Amino acid sequence: MKFIAKLFPEITIKSRPVRRRLIQRLQSNLQIVLKRLDDDIKVSGFWDKVEVSYPGQNEALCEQIIDAMARVPGIQSFLEVREYPLGDFDNAFELTREAYAERLKGKTFKVRVKRSGKHDFTSVELERYVGGGLRQHTEAAGVDVRNPEVWVDLEVKDNKLFVVTATHQGLGGYPLGTQEDVLSLISGGFDSVVASYMTMRRGSKTHFLFFNLGGHAHEIGVKQVALYLWNRYGSSARVKFITVPFEEVVGEILQSVHHSHMGVVLKRMMMRTADKVADRMKLNALVTGESVAQVSSQTLPNLRLIDESCDHLVLRPLVTMDKPDIIEISRQIGAFEFASAMPEFCGVISDKPTTHARRERVEAEESNFDYEVLERALEQTEVIRIDDIVENQNINSEIEAMTRVADNQTLVDIRPPREQERKPLNMPGCEVRVIPFYQLEADFAALPQEREYLLYCDKGVMSQMHAQHLHELGFNNVKVFRPATQ
C-alpha cells in the first residue's frame, strides 16, 4: 500500500531552504507517528510531496495509517494509491478500470493525469485514451469535464504509474515543530482547547499551563483533554504539562480586591505567573482562548491592561471568532465531549464587573495584594511530561488494575460515545455498563454498591484518573480494567 501526502499550500511558496526544512520535519513527524503502528512503514520526503509505503496489504493497518495521517499538521490532502510499472496506454486503462469500475456505475466522470519526468506522450493524450476506454467499457453515465461526479486521478512519475483509489483530507497547517514553542493557558473549556489546537496545527509545539483554582475533578478534566489533544494532533513532539496551585491566590484576591475588579486582577496574576513559567522554559509566546467581548474581562480596555502585566507576546487565535464557531471546531476535533463535561469550579465571581478598567484603579487594587502568595504558588508549580501524566500525578497506588472480570464485578466502559460506537467493547460472559466519563460521577451513586466496578478506556489513562476521583468521593468499590494486551 502507498499514500502520497500533498503539502499545505503555504509550504510550497517558501524559499528553497525553508521549504526543504519544512518537508524534512513533516517526514520526520510522520515517521515518528507511523512507526508506532508498524516498523515496516517507510516515509520518504520529496520536493513536492511525502510518500508513505508499506509492503503488502493489511486493511486494518491501512485504516490506522489513514486516521494517523489525517491528524498530522502540514498535510493538505493525501492520496491512497496503487503503484504499477508504467506500461502502454492500454495497460494504464485496464488498471484504471479495475480500480474505478464500481464507483463509475451510473455516474459522470473526468480523468485527470499529473505527469513528471520525460515521456513520449502528453498528460492530455493519456487522459483521452483512458477516459474513452472507461466510457465504452464501464457502466458510467458519461464524461463531464466541468462538474463530474467522480474524478479519476492518475499520476505518472518517470517509469511508474500511480492509480489514485481514494483522496483524504489532511489537517493543513505547518509541520509541528517548525514554529517556535508556545505556552497555552488551558482551562479545559471550549475556548482554551480550540486555541491550543490551532497553535498546534500552525506548527508550534504547545505546552499546557493549568491554574488550579480548586477542585480535583477540574484538574482531572483538564489533564485528560490536554492528553487527548496531544495524542491526536501533537504526539510527534514531547511537551510539558504545568500545574500551578492558585487556590491561595484566589483567596487573597477575594480578601484584597474590590469585587468589580476581581476578574481583571485574577487574569493579570495568571499572566504574571505564565510570564515567569515561560521565562523558565525559554518560550517566546503565551496562548489564551480569549475572544473580544465574550466576557467582561475580554473587552479591549481590559485585555490591554491584562497584557500589560506580562512581557511575553500573547497570542489569541480566537480573538474575533463567534462562540458557535468555536464549539463547532471542538466537535470537528473530537474535543466537544471533554469541554462540555468540564466540571464547574468556583473561582472569582465579580458582582457587576467592570468592562472598562482603568490602570490607576487596577494598580490601586493590586497594591493591597500580598505578592508572597503568588511567589508561593510559583514555588509549588509542578512540571511533567504530558505522556507521563498518569505516572506522575500521584495516582492512588491502591487502585488495582485487573486483567479479568470476576462474577461480582461489572465492567464500565467510560469512553466517549464515538469511540464506543467505532470499537464496541465485546466481553462475553460479564456484565458491561456504558457510562461516558462525563456522566460517571453523576451516575455512579445510583449503581448497586454491593458490586465492584472496573473502569475501562482504550489507553488506561482516563480510567485511572476517574477511579482515583471516585475513591476520593468515598467509593472504594472501584478498580480499573486493563486487558493483558493493553
Side-chain angles (χ1 to χ4, degrees):
M1 67 180 75
K2 181 183 283 289
F3 300 87
I4 298 176
K6 302 295 186 179
L7 306 176
F8 176 54
E10 289 183 28
I11 295 175
T12 64
I13 62 175
K14 302 296 183 185
S15 65
R16 292 185 67 88
V18 173
R19 178 171 174 172
R20 187 178 298 110
R21 177 175 60 84
L22 296 176
I23 294 171
Q24 288 173 346
R25 178 54 68 94
L26 177 57
Q27 177 187 354
S28 174
N29 291 349
L30 278 169
Q31 193 78 55
I32 291 169
V33 171
L34 297 178
K35 279 290 184 180
R36 295 174 186 150
L37 303 178
D38 195 296
D39 284 336
D40 291 332
I41 297 175
K42 182 181 178 182
V43 182
S44 304
F46 299 91
W47 178 246
D48 60 344
K49 62 185 175 181
V50 175
E51 291 186 0
V52 174
S53 58
Y54 176 80
Q57 295 295 322
N58 182 323
E59 187 173 337
L61 179 60
C62 180
E63 291 180 1
Q64 290 179 310
I65 293 174
I66 292 170
D67 179 62
M69 290 184 67
R71 296 184 279 104
V72 174
I75 298 175
Q76 185 68 12
S77 62
F78 57 101
L79 312 177
E80 193 174 342
V81 302
R82 298 176 186 174
E83 179 182 343
Y84 304 98
L86 178 61
D88 58 19
F89 276 19
D90 191 58
N91 180 62
F93 155 67
E94 291 291 349
L95 293 172
T96 305
R97 181 175 65 172
E98 178 184 339
Y100 279 90
E102 285 298 317
R103 271 185 282 171
L104 292 179
K105 286 183 178 180
K107 296 181 179 179
T108 59
F109 72 94
K110 168 72 170 70
V111 177
R112 290 187 296 196
V113 174
K114 182 178 180 181
R115 186 176 58 86
S116 61
K118 294 183 178 180
H119 305 93
D120 58 0
F121 60 88
T122 66
S123 298
V124 173
E125 288 172 341
L126 182 56
E127 287 174 352
R128 288 174 177 170
Y129 187 92
V130 173
L134 293 175
R135 188 175 50 145
Q136 294 180 43
H137 300 288
T138 68
E139 298 178 38
V143 175
D144 185 341
V145 297
R146 294 186 177 179
N147 190 29
E149 296 175 271
V150 177
W151 287 99
V152 178
D153 289 314
L154 306 177
E155 292 200 12
V156 176
K157 181 175 175 60
D158 299 325
N159 61 348
K160 293 182 179 180
L161 171 68
F162 299 95
V163 179
V164 180
T165 58
T167 301
H168 304 279
Q169 185 63 40
L171 198 62
Y174 287 109
L176 195 65
T178 56
Q179 312 305 313
E180 286 71 19
D181 292 13
V182 297
L183 182 64
S184 180
L185 281 62
I186 186 168
S187 67
F190 294 109
D191 301 337
S192 63
V193 167
V194 172
S196 300
Y197 159 76
M198 292 177 75
T199 53
M200 295 166 72
R201 180 183 175 274
R202 199 62 181 171
S204 291
K205 288 171 56 178
T206 301
H207 304 269
F208 300 96
L209 176 61
F210 168 59
F211 292 97
N212 191 341
L213 305 184
H216 190 60
H218 184 218
E219 183 177 354
I220 287 176
V222 175
K223 285 173 180 172
Q224 68 186 24
V225 73
L227 186 63
Y228 170 83
L229 281 179
W230 177 78
N231 271 324
R232 291 287 294 175
Y233 306 106
S235 65
S236 61
R238 292 283 176 83
V239 300
K240 298 291 196 301
F241 187 96
I242 302 99
T243 302
V244 182
F246 238 52
E247 299 97 324
E248 193 179 358
V249 174
V250 169
E252 178 65 20
I253 290 175
L254 290 171
Q255 294 181 50
S256 306
V257 178
H258 189 271
H259 57 76
S260 63
H261 283 65
M262 286 179 177
V264 172
V265 171
L266 175 62
K267 288 288 185 71
R268 282 167 61 91
M269 295 300 172
M270 287 180 171
M271 297 304 279
R272 288 188 176 102
T273 305
D275 214 31
K276 294 184 179 180
V277 173
D279 275 338
R280 293 174 183 175
M281 298 178 66
K282 299 181 179 179
L283 304 179
N284 292 310
L286 307 177
V287 179
T288 77
E290 291 160 322
S291 178
V292 169
Q294 191 175 113
V295 296
S296 61
S297 65
Q298 296 176 18
T299 60
L300 291 179
N302 288 353
L303 288 175
R304 178 185 176 186
L305 285 174
I306 290 168
D307 283 1
E308 288 179 357
S309 65
C310 70
D311 294 327
H312 282 76
L313 171 67
V314 180
L315 303 178
R316 294 185 171 92
L318 316 182
V319 69
T320 61
M321 290 184 64
D322 298 331
K323 192 71 172 188
D325 296 330
I326 297 169
I327 292 175
E328 179 56 30
I329 293 176
S330 79
R331 292 184 190 275
Q332 294 170 7
I333 65 177
F336 176 82
E337 288 90 354
F338 293 92
S340 61
M342 195 59 57
E344 294 293 334
F345 61 95
C346 294
V348 171
I349 302 176
S350 296
D351 178 22
K352 297 182 180 179
T354 179
T355 59
H356 201 296
R358 299 186 180 278
R359 184 180 297 104
E360 303 80 23
R361 174 66 184 276
V362 170
E363 290 175 349
E365 294 293 338
E366 290 182 343
S367 67
N368 300 317
F369 184 88
D370 181 1
Y371 281 90
E372 288 186 6
V373 174
L374 197 64
E375 290 301 320
R376 282 197 295 271
L378 271 167
E379 290 172 2
Q380 297 170 31
T381 296
E382 183 183 55
V383 181
I384 63 169
R385 292 193 329 187
I386 196 166
D387 47 327
D388 290 340
I389 205 165
V390 175
E391 292 80 357
N392 288 273
Q393 289 307 301
N394 299 317
I395 294 297
N396 193 333
S397 60
E398 296 179 1
I399 298 176
E400 295 183 61
M402 312 296 291
T403 58
R404 295 182 181 180
V405 183
D407 292 339
N408 68 326
Q409 295 173 329
T410 297
L411 195 59
V412 182
D413 187 349
I414 69 169
R415 296 175 297 167
R418 185 165 59 178
E419 290 185 29
Q420 294 169 354
E421 293 172 4
R422 184 175 60 85
K423 189 179 178 183
L425 185 59
N426 185 18
M427 293 290 294
C430 70
E431 181 183 356
V432 178
R433 288 181 180 264
V434 175
I435 307 177
F437 67 90
Y438 48 83
Q439 295 177 2
L440 189 60
E441 182 178 343
D443 293 357
F444 194 83
L447 299 177
Q449 295 301 309
E450 67 273 9
R451 294 185 64 80
E452 283 191 339
Y453 295 93
L454 310 184
L455 307 188
Y456 170 78
C457 68
D458 285 334
K459 301 291 186 181
V461 175
M462 289 169 57
S463 59
Q464 186 82 348
M465 290 193 289
H466 282 281
Q468 178 183 344
H469 182 53
L470 288 173
H471 271 232
E472 292 175 352
L473 293 176
F475 298 104
N476 296 316
N477 56 338
V478 184
K479 299 177 181 178
V480 298
F481 178 69
R482 288 184 183 163
T485 56
Q486 182 168 296

